[in-house]
Structures are given as structure tokens and as C-alpha cells.
Amino acid sequence: MQLIFEKSRAGRRAINFDALDVPEAKLAPELCRANAAALPEVGELDVVRHFTHLSQRNVGIDDTFYPLGSCTMKYNPKIAEVVAAMPGMAKLHPHQSSSAAYAGTVQGAYALIHELEAMLAEIAGMKAASIQPIAGAHGELTGALLMAAYHRDKGNTHKDTVIVPDSAHGTNPASAVMAGFKVVEVPSDSDGTLHVDKFQAVMNDRVAGVMLTCPNTHGLFESNVARIAELAHEVDALLYYDGANLNAIVGQCRPGDLGFDVMHYNLHKTFATPHGMGGPGCGPVGVGERLLPYLPGPRVVHHDGIYSLETPEKSIGRIAAFFGNFLIAVRAYAYMRFYGDEGLRDVSRVAVLNANYIHARLKHAFKPAFGKPFMHECVFTAQPQAEKGVRAMDFAKALLDRGYHAPTVYFPLTVKECLMIEPTETESKETLDAFCDTMLELARLAEECPEILQQAPITTPVGRLDEVKAAKDLNCACL
Amino acid sequence: MGSWIPTTESERKEMLAVIGAASIDELFSSIPEPYRMRGWEIPAGLSEMSVRNLMAGLAGRNTADAISFLGGGYYDHYIPAGVDALSGRSEFYTAYTPYQPETSQGTLQSIYEYQSLICRLTNMEFANASLYDGGTALFEAATMAVRIAKRNRVVIHPSVNPTYVQMLKTHAANLEFDFVTGDDPSGAACVLVQNPAFDGTVRDFTALGDRCHAAKALLVVSFYPVSLGMIKSPGEMGADIAVGEGQCLGMNLGFGGPYLGIMATRAEHVRKMPGRIAGQTEDHDGRRGFVLTLQAREQHIRRTKAMSNICSNQALCALRAAIYLCLLGKEGLRDLAVACHSKAEYLKAKLDFAQILNEGPTFNEFAVRLPMDAHLVTSKLLDRGFLAGLPLHDVGAGETNDLLIAVTEQRTRAELDAFAGALKDAACN
Ligand SMILES: Cc1ncc(COP(=O)(O)O)c(C=O)c1O
């Protein structure tokens, strides 16, 4: 397909502005750019066709089943788009929060933030939450900074280490480093979970915090988590909960009750806000008693029927300029109010039911990576098939040919030839059955005609792309 | 109670039979019993209709229709209809990160085009696929400069948005960064400048760039994309890293987000740049295609050694920016910048009762000292339907009488006249 720049014709344009109704003003030439930026010169229909055609070379949840493990690709309800577009939300200027003079103009937004933060805290058994962090990884960084602030305040200057399991998402160690910590990896046991003895071996007084995902990225609940929390708390280390997999347990158990001190939520996962080709997301941070004084500020507070802003005395400060990805939070709030108490509990129940159903239907054709019961996602290893020449990536590509998005492959790094399948609760039994039938068919083809998988995909707009060439002949912009 | 869960009771039973479990509860048996939840305080669910009414009620308690002169880094620009129509296509907004490039060419090509547009706008050579927002992009730029220069000093020029400065300090609280204010590059990793400045002043930082390079420091320029329809670009000033808040490129003000963190750099530094990058390549039949490239910089590969922890970014916002810039085009962006600047100058000239605080020329925003407290004035103007601007004292950037006033293409001459009159009435009586 052509680039938009290749469709440019000198003098053509889409948008016009009204004729200037004031005299034209000019800046001194030395402050001005030499030439106008070389933006494409195209008509509105050129732009509309171009991006429509691009969209047709893409696949989203609204098109097809998207079982991308760890990403919780559930249906994004349309009502959430409608409410986020209401002018009373979409058109609020963020500096309407900067001056008390304007506080009266944003009472609805403050009420929403206040209620949403309280609901998030309640759902996870935390004392409070802040919607400032902009995505999951930003929430992790915020959490790590909160841990650092706590230890600084307590004079724990020797605490310089954060423990993460080897199955952790890459953002966990990267966030800990950005917050100034050294990272020690603790290996998972062969059963896919953390064992207390391996954990004890790396636990010492230098440990400032421990970052866990639960269920972990193997799809398994960390049954020893409460004991690990005790061990951490014995040396005044804090326990961090990566909320990427909250969809598995929402309404069933709460990180706060398990002993976690701090966490992030992925509103774009658990609470169904659209993933937008990779973002925007929203990664609120939640804290228990210990970290309450350090929360990012300013925060919305409620006195005598009026909402206003206050910054906690020991706050780490602003992690976002204002209220993070506010319009994403608006969508999540609408979603939570729609489902409510009973509905949210059913979310995790059916998410876990669906993953277990896929596991039950596929377990004889694909080797489950672990023998323990899976929660909201099931993880297989295509190692047996790979030994015969059909790799996890080949299964992924063959699924594309059959109209599905692929599962997550090659993550977590702890599982060889990993296929990580997360169906979510919004898929019907027919969809799951059709997908399982396809997977079983692919398992058969892997034995009988492996080249069908190895040569896939053949029905997509392009075939497998040369990534080595992309990195070698680096071309990242049409200049 | 509403639900988007399609599975019926009888289907649940069938599925449990296949699994070999007696109940859904049994599937949660790996959660130790003492931690199974007993109760929580979450309100009962609502129908879609009730949700809409509830949200309309909340939205109705906000004021979003005042005639706005609020800026301070975030601007009330017109968003062409095509931006919502195209970015709202669900093939875009319900997709995720392009992990499978063959079914994500729409995403990948749009990122590539976005990167190209940003490079053309800034006169830089490489742009990434987006960061969270302008403030975090500035922090990432400082971190990148520290990594490249192998020095810890980060010099913050007084032109930088004070909120960004707070964000920098929050993010770097546990890193050994030595923040100093000023413009002396000696011994520093970088000097961070903003153009136009937070108070709207336009400067040429070319000479500072030369001084930075002589001192082996990097020049980081935080820019306002719309202003680049007119003013000298970061690349023309010799910037090593250009970052910016992309809200003005087709994003709703949305009370703070989602916005768009823009970052671009020179070829020599691209391997030290954080964030995703799309690159052009081809498939086995020689067809042009796009993939994520240079991934060895990123957290999913490098973990503790990654350039940043960023994973989800602001891809849909980058798409909106790309569509916006295509719709405006070369002439349109220039016309837009001229309109913003001219209208701001027109208003500035009318405010003869106030003292202009800027040191030099301004683009579309300027700071004034009023004859009385800016809070009192803004409150009075609110009653007359205006958001009069940002009282600078509230953001730690001025005295109690100081007000930052921004003007976009949306303001008509009649509105400017009415506003100037109302401001005079309020401030001088
Ligand atoms: C387990 C896990 N942790 C953290 C993250 C990071 O979240 P985000 O992409 O919102 O930054 C992800 C995202 O994919 C994840 O799967």
C-alpha cells in the first residue's frame, strides 16, 4: 500500500480555516522556521480512504477472537465510548483543576475520580487508589517510587533491592530499575509457582520490595503468597501486586487481604477500556495502610458536599500532570457501574471457566506447560511440535490465516515455545469451540503437513516480514 | 444488572462437564480458603440506559462550554471531524500492540507515517511510536541524555513548564540525578528547554545548542507542535532530542488525558531512545511491510537493561495526531499557526490596563500582571462565561496578580473584544 506522502499533490488541501478576522501578525524571521514542514498535501477523501484502507489491514476485538494471553482482550462496550465523548467530560481543560477559582467547574469530574478510586480500593482490598499513573508500567514505577519513599522516610537506607520472579513481565524489573533499585530474580519452581525455600534464599535485610503477579504469568495462582508476604514483612520489605491478571480474581479474593501493600490496576485489561493498537491504557496505583501517606498528589477529597484537591503531606508528588488518562478512567467507571457487585464477580468466574474449558479441550493435543489448575489463561508449550519443526510462531501464523488473532507466544520467557491463551469472559461457547477445533486441526496438520503452518500466513495483506532487514537497513521515517 | 457475558447457565454446565469440575467455584480451589472473599461494598449493577443517565449527570456538573483562554501546555484547538471518524474505526481502537505484524499493517504503517510526520515537523531523523505525555517524555529525554552523556547533571532552563519540573523530580526521586536550574551546560548531561516557554515566550536556542555541544552536553527541546507551523523547529536549533505534548494534534482536552508524548532524536542516538519504533521492511515476495524494530532496547527483551519500562503507549493518540496532521497538511498547519499567533497579538494589544510579563515575543500565549488578584478576576469572568486563563501563582510560576492567557484559532474577534472588555471591567473596578 502507498504511503500518505506518496499521495501528496502540491497545492491540494483538506481543512480550511476562516479568513483571518484580525490583522496578520508576524514573528521576527530569526525565530521562524526556514520552510513549512513537509506535511502531505492531500484532500479529505484521500485521507479518509487512506486510513480506512489501513484499518482494513488491521484486526481488533470487534473483528475476531483475540486470545492474546496477559493482555485481557475482552469486548470493549460501546456505551463506554459514548460516555467518554460527552462534552462535560471530553472538553474539560486540565488546568480547571489547577486553580481553586475553577473548582466549581469540575465537581462532576472530581466526584467520578473520588468514587472510582474508592471502588478500585474496595475491589482490591486496598486503603486507597490514585488514577494518576498512565499505564500499567507507569503504575509499577509509581509503586516502586512509593516503596522508595516509605523506606527513605523510615531511614531504611540500606534497602536497595527488589525481588522479581523470573516469570515476571519485563516491565517489572525495568520499573524497579527506573525507581533506582537493584533487581534480583527468583526462579519459579518446576510446577510454575514460587516456592518458599527459593524465596527465602534471596530474602534479606537489603530487600525493599517484592513484585509478584497473581495469578502469575503462567496462569497459576501463587498459593504461597501469604507466606511470602509474611517473609517480606519480617524484614520490612513491601509486597507489590502486578494487577495485569486481576481479571482472574476480581470478586473472588483481594490482593490487600493476601498481604499486598501496593499494586497497579490495568483498567484497559480488567475494566474493558479499548487497547487502541497499544494504548492509551490507564494504570492506577492502589496502596494499603503503610503507603497511604505517600500517594501521588494532588488527590480529590470530599468535605461537606464539595470536592477539592489536597496533596498528602509525604506525597511523592505528581506522577502525571493531572489525573492520568482521565477519559480512560471514565470508561472504566461506566463499565464498573454497569456490572456492579454481582456482575464483576461473574467476570472472573466466566474468565476462569473459559480458560479451563480451552485447556480441557486442547490438553491432549498441546502439552500444558504446568500440571496445576489454570486460572484465567492457559499456557502450553509447543516444544514437542517444535522438535519436529513446527514452532509456536508457526501455530500463531496459521491462526491468522484462519481468521483469529494469535495467542501470546514466547512469553513468559520461562516456558519454551510458549503459547499463552487468554479467552476472557466475553467470548461465547461457540467461539471457544470453533477456536479449539481450529487448534486441534492445526495440531493434526503439524504432524501431517507441517509446511502449511511453516508457510503461514498466506491470506494476510503481507506474508512473514523480514525483521533482520528492518533492523539492518533502518528505515523508520519517510523524510 | 447488565452483563456482556454471553454464556448461559446450561452452557456453563456443559463446559464444567468437559472440564470435569462440579462447579465454577471448584476452579478457584488454588486460592487458599482463608483468602476467599466474603463480601465487598460495590453497588449493584445498572442497565446501559441508567449508566448513560448517571454519566450524563456527572458530566452535567462540569463546565465545558465556557469561552476558554486556558492554555499552559494544553490547548483548545478545533478537531476536524475526520479525526474521530477514522481513529474511531474499531479495527484500530480495539486492536492491541502489533505483535503479529501480518494482521497489524494498519497499526504499523500508521505508526511509521506518524514517525515520519513528527520527523518532518521537528526536522529530526527518528521518532518513536509515542510516549505517555509531554511531561513523561521530558523525563525520558533526561534519562536518555544521562545514558548517552554518562553524566548525572540535568540542567532545567526556566522556560520549562513547572508541572513538568515537578514530574521530573517525582520520577527521578530515587535516581542520582543532579537537577540544577539555568542554562550552563558545562559538566551536564543535557540542558532542557521549552519553546515557546511556559509563559509563551519564543526564543531561538541555537546558540545554547552550540554551547551544549561544545560542552558535550545534549540540547533537549520541549516543543508545542502547533507552534511549529511557524517557529523555528528543534532540529533547526540543533536539538539532540525533541519532545513535546501532542494533545494539540487532535486530542480532546479530556481533563488531562489521554494525551500524546512525542519524542524524536538524531540518527546517532536512536539505539538509546525509549519506546516502540516501527520500521519498513518487506515480505518474501518483496511486498512493502512494517514491523516493530530495534526491540533490543525494550523491556520485554532487555528487562533491567531496557531503555525504559514503557509497554502500553498512546498509539491511538499517535494515530489521531497522524490523521490530524494529514488533514491540515503543509498549508493548513501554517494557516493554523498564523491564526493562533495573530489572534493572540490582537488580544495582547487590547490589554493596555495590564502589564505584559514576557521578556520577548510570544506565540499564542502570554503572561500579564493584573491590577488585582487573578483569582478574583477569573471568578468574575467565569460568571460572564469565560475561562479567563491560568492564575500563575497557583502553579508556582508567578505572583497572585499574574494570569497566563492563551488564544487559539477557535476564538473569534468578537470573543476577543468581549473578553478584553470583561477583563478590564473585572480587573480595574
Ligand atoms: C503481566 C503484565 N504486567 C505488566 C504489564 C504492563 O502493563 P502496560 O502495558 O499497561 O504498561 C503487562 C502488559 O502487557 C503485563 O502483561
Side-chain angles (χ1 to χ4, degrees), chain A residues 123-309:
Chain A
I123 281 173
M126 293 280 143
K127 280 276 180 285
S130 162
I131 64 162
Q132 278 198 26
I134 295 172
H138 201 222
E140 293 170 23
L141 174 60
T142 308
L145 290 168
L146 289 167
M147 300 200 277
Y150 169 87
H151 290 306
R152 209 178 305 121
D153 196 26
K154 290 196 79 183
N156 291 341
T157 47
H158 54 291
K159 289 201 177 286
D160 61 356
T161 305
V162 165
I163 297 180
V164 295
D166 58 359
S167 60
H169 195 259
T171 49
N172 290 190
S175 300
V177 166
M178 270 172 101
F181 292 109
K182 296 194 183 80
V183 171
V184 171
E185 275 207 354
V186 54
S188 319
D189 223 60
S190 56
D191 71 359
T193 62
L194 279 179
H195 275 210
V196 173
D197 46 354
K198 289 200 177 149
F199 193 80
Q200 256 168 337
V202 293
M203 200 66 204
N204 60 48
D205 195 37
R206 300 186 74 91
V207 176
V210 178
M211 299 179 85
L212 298 184
T213 309
C214 187
N216 63 24
T217 63
H218 299 147
L220 308 175
F221 195 87
E222 293 284 7
S223 311
N224 294 318
V225 65
R227 179 73 191 119
I228 291 173
E230 274 173 23
L231 288 173
H233 291 152
E234 270 167 27
V235 296
D236 203 14
L238 298 159
L239 199 62
Y240 184 92
Y241 179 82
D242 176 334
N245 293 343
L246 189 67
N247 210 48
I249 61 165
V250 60
Q252 311 302 326
C253 71
R254 307 194 297 177
D257 299 340
L258 291 164
F260 285 95
D261 301 290
V262 48
M263 66 177 292
H264 78 264
Y265 308 74
N266 287 78
L267 299 192
H268 46 301
K269 298 181 181 181
T270 318
F271 304 108
T273 66
H275 282 64
M277 318 188 292
C282 186
V285 68
V287 295
E289 196 76 55
R290 285 185 181 81
L291 294 181
L292 206 50
Y294 310 97
L295 273 176
R299 296 183 55 66
V300 174
V301 294
H302 191 214
H303 298 298
D304 306 327
I306 296 181
Y307 294 93
S308 58
L309 296 181

Side-chain angles (χ1 to χ4, degrees), chain B residues 342-411:
Chain B
S342 303
K343 288 174 188 243
E345 290 301 298
Y346 176 82
L347 178 64
K348 200 201 264 180
K350 293 202 144 220
L351 305 186
D352 51 5
F353 52 91
Q355 179 195 348
I356 305 293
L357 298 174
N358 300 81
E359 275 176 18
T362 58
F363 174 62
N364 73 330
E365 189 162 24
F366 52 90
V368 295
R369 180 156 299 158
L370 300 169
M372 70 160 79
D373 189 290
H375 268 194
L376 293 177
V377 176
T378 49
S379 299
K380 285 194 208 166
L381 278 152
L382 198 54
D383 294 340
R384 298 181 64 172
F386 296 104
L387 283 169
L390 178 62
L392 281 167
H393 188 64
D394 289 327
V395 293
E399 297 183 11
T400 50
N401 287 14
D402 299 351
L403 188 67
L404 186 65
I405 297 172
V407 184
T408 70
E409 77 284 4
Q410 303 225 68
R411 299 289 75 84

